[in-house]
Amino acid sequence: MTAVTHDASSSAPAAGGPRLASGLGFAVASALAFGLSGSFARGLLDTGWSPGAVVLVRVGLAALVVAPFGLRALRGRWSVLRGNAGVVAAYGVLAVAGAQFCYFSAVQHMQVGPALLIEYTAPAAVVVWMWLRHGQRPGPVTLLGAALAVAGLVLLLDLLSGADLSTAGVLWSLGAMVGAATYFVISADESTGLPALALAAGGLLVGTLVLGMLGLVGVLSMTASTDDAVYAAGSVPWWLPLLGLGIVTAAIAYTTGIAAGRRLGSRLASFVALLEVVAAVVFSWLLLDELPRPVQLLGGLLVLAGVLAVKAGERGVRRLAATPT
């Protein structure tokens, strides 16, 4: 028979009432925090920091900040952590280190805009995964929202002016998309019994170790500078944007993202996360004095409309189940 359900996760109850409101709040907070990362990093990159060094310090600082809270959340239940070691490892390798490494590898071969667009097809991958794995068929309103969001991303990233693509860049971008989709799916899964803060702490620690190993073997370039970082409002000491990257754009971003996923489900949380691109454009305007074009503002409105449509479509998610005998 055909049942109607919501995408809270593969096993969690549907979000509603205060749970829905808090989930949306966490999702928007996570998107805003992630959206700051590009502008913060830009000031460091312009002084000679390599992308690999920025990401390693960002993730490493976040791991240090979140670790005490993760340990407290476990409350000595080490068996829960051991039982989910594979989940934590997958989160750290794919969702943290993998997504970042693949994205930076992609932009070495192609423009930033197309690379971001391919990575941000992750919500579509989540929709397909939830359909194939859990039988949660997207309704027409959800599909309309997805189409609006994709159209908005094209405008936001200013791809209509033309962009060069490369096979290597596309493949690396698809790898980043897999990492992002993994982030949404694992974050929303409450069936493991692993506290959200413990998952974030463990994943960030694994991600730090993986990125550090990539740096040691020379796959990721590691260069740094102590010159002041320059932004639209003036220059600041180099360590200040690093703290912002570690605490705001990683520690807060990942923990609130997991909290959002567990309240909204992987599908809705992944679409709300598209607001990160809108936030990135706004923050680049405020911090870097890069004024968005009218077409980008239109794209932001389309992304927002797509997110609202996906939320409306959650009420009509259809799941196919076998007729009981």
Side-chain angles (χ1 to χ4, degrees):
M1 64 179 179
T2 301
V4 178
T5 186
H6 298 266
D7 174 26
S9 73
S10 60
S11 59
R19 185 174 173 86
L20 171 62
S22 63
L24 289 173
F26 281 126
V28 172
S30 180
L32 292 176
F34 275 126
L36 266 170
S37 60
S39 296
F40 278 172
R42 174 69 177 275
L44 294 169
L45 296 173
D46 288 344
T47 65
W49 281 76
S50 66
V54 171
V55 171
L56 176 60
V57 174
R58 174 193 179 198
V59 176
L61 281 175
L64 290 176
V65 170
V66 180
F69 299 98
L71 290 173
R72 182 178 179 182
L74 273 178
R75 298 178 181 177
R77 295 174 294 164
W78 298 108
S79 60
V80 176
L81 184 61
R82 289 193 298 269
N84 291 285
V87 174
V88 174
Y91 189 87
V93 173
L94 297 177
V96 179
Q100 309 237 11
F101 172 66
C102 289
Y103 171 71
F104 283 120
S105 297
V107 297
Q108 291 179 344
H109 298 277
M110 63 193 298
Q111 297 175 15
V112 170
L116 274 176
L117 181 62
I118 295 173
E119 180 180 3
Y120 277 94
T121 59
V126 171
V127 168
V128 173
W129 170 260
M130 297 305 294
W131 185 0
L132 297 179
R133 179 67 177 82
H134 301 293
Q136 297 180 2
R137 176 187 298 175
V141 178
T142 298
L143 294 177
L144 173 62
L148 287 174
V150 170
L153 284 175
V154 171
L155 298 181
L156 261 175
L157 300 174
D158 197 18
L159 299 183
L160 296 180
S161 58
D164 296 327
L165 297 179
S166 75
T167 301
V170 170
L171 291 176
W172 280 120
S173 297
L174 288 173
M177 181 271 289
V178 171
T182 302
Y183 161 76
F184 292 118
V185 172
I186 294 180
S187 295
D189 188 4
E190 294 183 295
S191 65
T192 62
L194 189 65
L197 288 172
L199 172 61
L204 288 168
L205 177 59
V206 171
T208 300
L209 294 175
V210 172
L211 291 169
M213 290 297 298
L214 291 174
L216 286 176
V217 300
V219 176
L220 274 180
S221 173
M222 295 291 175
T223 58
S225 170
T226 57
D227 293 340
D228 288 350
V230 179
Y231 299 95
S235 60
V236 297
W238 59 272
W239 52 265
L240 192 58
L242 276 180
L243 286 179
L245 282 166
I247 297 174
V248 178
T249 76
I252 293 177
Y254 276 102
T255 53
T256 54
I258 294 174
R262 296 195 170 186
R263 287 163 174 80
L264 302 178
S266 56
R267 179 170 49 240
L268 180 56
S270 67
F271 277 96
V272 178
L274 293 178
L275 295 177
E276 176 188 338
V277 184
V278 181
V281 172
V282 173
F283 286 131
S284 67
W285 174 24
L286 297 176
L287 297 180
L288 304 176
D289 203 21
E290 297 178 354
L291 186 66
R293 298 173 57 194
V295 67
Q296 290 178 297
L297 297 177
L298 175 60
L301 292 176
L302 284 177
V303 169
L304 179 58
V307 169
L308 293 175
V310 170
K311 173 62 196 78
E314 289 295 283
R315 299 187 183 94
V317 175
R318 292 157 58 86
R319 181 171 63 188
L320 294 179
T323 303
T325 57

